[in-house]
Amino acid sequence: MRRFFFVSCLTFFAVNPASADIQHQIQSSIQLTVNGAASQATRLPSTYSVSGSGINLDTVGGLGTLTAGSAVGYTPAAYSLANDGDSFSFAETYIEGDDAQTATTLTDGTTAGLPAFGSVTTTAAGSAGDLAGTITGGGVLELTPGGPGTTATGQVILSITAN
């Protein structure tokens, strides 16, 4: 009996106990956003082009010089027919771009006015209105929509890891 008890004790203490690590994690988050006002002004360039056939270029034309606060302007070219009575084609195009402006400065996050460029996009600021979000003690997300230009995003992440 002693031998049996001794062998039983050795067997019991020699076996490693089973172990399993289980992790359970819950993450909840809410993000509320109210868009700010924004404007973007893009200056359009001046362009000049000329093409033709059956003509001679007598005086070269082109764009004028660029100075702040004034238009570029252009000088038209002068042409003559290569041969009187022959057919010809001719096209001369000039597009006046935006004036060169001085820099726009910001004061307290705003600007007095944007330059009057050829392409201007302006977006109004969002209105928070009733925008709200809460996470209850039970992990329930409650989102209340706001006015225009707002977003409310809620997220719950559940993860279980077993090793």
Side-chain angles (χ1 to χ4, degrees):
M1 185 68 165
R2 285 185 188 179
R3 286 185 184 175
F4 176 74
F5 179 71
F6 180 70
V7 171
S8 296
C9 287
L10 285 177
T11 304
F12 179 74
F13 291 113
V15 175
N16 289 333
S19 67
D21 293 331
I22 297 176
Q23 295 178 349
H24 179 246
Q25 187 175 21
I26 301 173
Q27 295 176 342
S28 299
S29 65
I30 292 178
Q31 179 178 352
L32 305 174
T33 306
V34 178
N35 296 338
S39 290
Q40 178 178 347
T42 303
R43 187 170 167 238
L44 299 180
S46 295
T47 61
Y48 175 78
S49 66
V50 63
S51 64
S53 63
I55 58 172
N56 294 324
L57 175 62
D58 296 332
T59 305
V60 177
L63 294 175
T65 58
L66 178 64
T67 57
S70 66
V72 172
Y74 85 107
T75 303
Y79 304 93
S80 61
L81 293 176
N83 297 309
D84 290 343
D86 285 351
S87 64
F88 69 95
S89 66
F90 171 74
E92 184 176 41
T93 306
Y94 168 71
I95 298 174
E96 179 69 42
D98 296 322
D99 294 346
Q101 305 260 333
T102 57
T104 301
T105 58
L106 293 175
T107 305
D108 296 327
T110 63
T111 181
L114 290 174
F117 285 150
S119 175
V120 178
T121 302
T122 301
T123 305
S127 171
D130 295 331
L131 182 64
T134 58
I135 303 172
T136 66
V140 176
L141 302 180
E142 295 177 355
L143 301 173
T144 304
T150 63
T151 57
T153 305
Q155 180 177 1
V156 176
I157 300 173
L158 300 172
S159 63
I160 297 175
T161 305
N163 292 328

